[in-house]
Amino acid sequence: MGQGRRRRHLRRPRQQRHRRRGRANSVRTIAEGYKVGGGWGQYTELAGQGDLTGDGRADITARDKAGVLWLYKGTGDYKAPFAGRTKIGGGWNAYDRLLSLGDSDADGKVDLLARKTTGELLRYSGTGNAARPFTAPVQIKESHMKEYNLL
């Protein structure tokens, strides 16, 4: 991302991904969006808040309807922001929400939070390694987040 710029990802009809560019400290209207890829409707969850792979570029994860979690590595190119997907693993349909807030365990790496349908919250700590982006999950003590909808 350029200095002072903010990027926003927006869902559009036909499952296309668009990005809008604008100045973070400006009152100007955000520029017209442009298509950066299609096929995003196959995913039930998208999460990303920083660099999962240790290359200095923002990445995202996407869970498909079969429960497979995919990694999209950031490219640093605003016209083609993500490289092709890489499979992280299966079984992610055990969670009803996936969320990345950045570094939640203060180790300097981006983490992923996953909520079970029972409300239990688990943290997958980031490794900074594209081949294995997360460690084994750790349950966040006494977390009962079922009643929260915006997780």
Side-chain angles (χ1 to χ4, degrees):
M1 241 184 324
Q3 247 182 336
R5 294 199 173 223
R6 176 181 299 154
R7 295 182 189 163
R8 296 184 182 181
H9 296 281
L10 304 171
R11 270 304 206 2
R12 295 279 180 130
R14 297 189 198 115
Q15 297 81 39
Q16 297 174 351
R17 190 94 160 150
H18 285 70
R19 175 170 285 169
R20 293 185 180 256
R21 292 181 14 172
R23 294 208 162 273
N25 298 324
S26 174
V27 291
R28 286 192 241 161
T29 305
I30 294 176
E32 179 65 25
Y34 54 91
K35 182 178 175 181
V36 295
W40 294 95
Q42 68 181 309
Y43 298 114
T44 58
E45 289 283 325
L46 297 173
Q49 183 68 29
D51 179 18
L52 292 170
T53 60
D55 63 2
R57 297 181 175 125
D59 310 305
I60 62 170
T61 59
R63 181 184 67 193
D64 66 21
K65 294 172 184 169
V68 176
L69 191 66
W70 300 93
L71 171 66
Y72 282 88
K73 291 172 52 174
T75 64
D77 178 358
Y78 72 91
K79 291 184 179 180
F82 303 110
R85 67 184 189 175
T86 304
K87 185 177 180 178
I88 293 174
W92 289 83
N93 274 344
Y95 306 111
D96 65 350
R97 295 277 194 269
L98 298 176
L99 179 68
S100 178
L101 296 173
D103 182 16
S104 61
D105 61 1
D107 67 353
K109 297 178 179 87
V110 176
D111 307 317
L112 185 70
L113 300 179
R115 183 181 72 179
K116 291 184 177 181
T117 57
T118 59
E120 294 172 84
L121 194 61
L122 292 101
R123 180 185 67 243
Y124 285 82
S125 293
T127 65
N129 180 344
R132 190 173 162 255
F134 303 111
T135 63
V138 174
Q139 183 175 350
I140 297 175
K141 278 195 169 183
E142 300 182 29
S143 59
H144 300 288
M145 306 297 283
K146 187 170 179 65
E147 64 271 7
Y148 295 101
N149 195 24
L150 295 176
L151 177 63

